[in-house]
Amino acid sequence: MYEGDDVVDIRSLYLRSSSHADLYVEVGTDDDVFSLENGNVRRDVIITDRDIPRGNDKITVQECLVDRFLDINTQGIADVRVIYNDCKYIWIDSGHWGRDFVSLVGNEAIQFLIDTSNENDEVVFIGNLISSNMTLNLHNGNDSLQYSINEFWGYSLRIDGGAGTDTGSGLPQSRSAIFGLFGVIRVINFE
C-alpha cells in the first residue's frame, strides 16, 4: 500500500502450497486499514510499516493458523487487534511515536513479544495461552494494561510499564507461577 488511505480486507486465505509460503504486507504512508480473517499460512505473516514515521493504521488479524511468526510492526498511531490466532510467535512493535491501542484476545503462542510506543498507550491482553515466554514493554508514557484470564505455562513472563504513570488491572504476581518447577513472573513499573 503506497500513498493514500487504503483498505485491504482478506478473508479465507490459504497459503500452504509451497515450503516458502509467507504473507508479507507493507502498509503505506497515510491512514491504512488492513484486516486478515480466517487465514492458514505455512510460514510467516509479516505486516510492516518499516522504520519511518507513517500514518495512523488499523490492523486486525483474526482466527488464523500461522506456523511461525505473526509479526506486526507499525509507526504513527496504531490500532492493532490480534484475536483468536494460533502461532508459534506473536511479535508486535507499535513504533516509538503515537498513542497506540493494542489488543490481544484468545491467542495461543509459544512466545509473545509486545513493544508499544513512548506515548500514552492502552493494551488489552485477555484469554491468551503463553507456552514459553512473554515480554510486554509499555515504555514511556502514562499507559494502561488490562490483563486477565491468561494461562502461562512457560519459563519467563515479564511485564514492564516503563517510565511514566502506568496502571494495570488483573496483573499476575509471582505467586501465580505455580505451573511447574521453573518459571518467573516479573511485573514492574506499575502503580
Side-chain angles (χ1 to χ4, degrees):
M1 297 182 239
Y2 294 106
E3 295 177 5
D5 299 337
D6 304 311
V7 176
V8 175
D9 187 0
I10 300 173
R11 297 177 190 234
S12 298
L13 174 71
Y14 185 82
L15 284 175
R16 291 201 162 272
S17 59
S18 76
S19 63
H20 300 301
D22 296 313
L23 175 65
Y24 184 86
V25 177
E26 185 174 327
V27 293
T29 57
D30 294 309
D31 301 343
D32 299 317
V33 176
F34 176 79
S35 178
L36 171 62
E37 183 177 339
N38 193 18
N40 192 330
V41 179
R42 170 165 280 179
R43 289 181 27 133
D44 302 328
V45 172
I46 299 169
I47 303 161
T48 185
D49 227 358
R50 293 204 181 166
D51 294 326
I52 3 179
R54 300 285 183 139
N56 305 332
D57 299 323
K58 181 173 182 179
I59 297 169
T60 303
V61 179
Q62 181 173 334
E63 297 175 9
C64 293
L65 173 63
V66 180
D67 285 359
R68 292 189 350 173
F69 289 92
L70 171 54
D71 187 352
I72 300 171
N73 183 331
T74 67
Q75 304 296 323
I77 297 173
D79 180 335
V80 177
R81 297 165 193 252
V82 177
I83 306 162
Y84 297 119
N85 299 288
D86 186 353
C87 312
K88 281 192 180 163
Y89 309 101
I90 295 177
W91 292 358
I92 298 172
D93 184 347
S94 65
H96 298 291
W97 299 278
R99 184 181 176 130
D100 302 320
F101 175 78
V102 177
S103 176
L104 294 106
V105 176
N107 300 287
E108 183 175 333
I110 293 171
Q111 181 185 65
F112 288 81
L113 177 58
I114 298 117
D115 282 294
T116 64
S117 76
N118 289 322
E119 311 260 343
N120 301 336
D121 303 311
E122 181 180 352
V123 176
V124 174
F125 196 85
I126 298 175
N128 298 288
L129 173 61
I130 307 140
S131 58
S132 181
N133 300 309
M134 181 176 111
T135 302
L136 171 57
N137 294 311
L138 297 175
H139 298 289
N140 298 339
N142 301 326
D143 306 308
S144 70
L145 170 62
Q146 181 182 357
Y147 183 99
S148 64
I149 319 170
N150 298 292
E151 289 186 50
F152 173 49
W153 295 96
Y155 304 105
S156 173
L157 174 65
R158 183 176 187 275
I159 301 172
D160 186 349
T165 305
D166 302 310
T167 59
S169 64
L171 295 175
Q173 299 178 10
S174 295
R175 68 176 181 270
S176 58
I178 306 172
F179 50 80
L181 298 175
F182 304 102
V184 175
I185 292 178
R186 193 158 178 235
V187 179
I188 56 176
N189 296 322
F190 282 90
E191 291 196 349

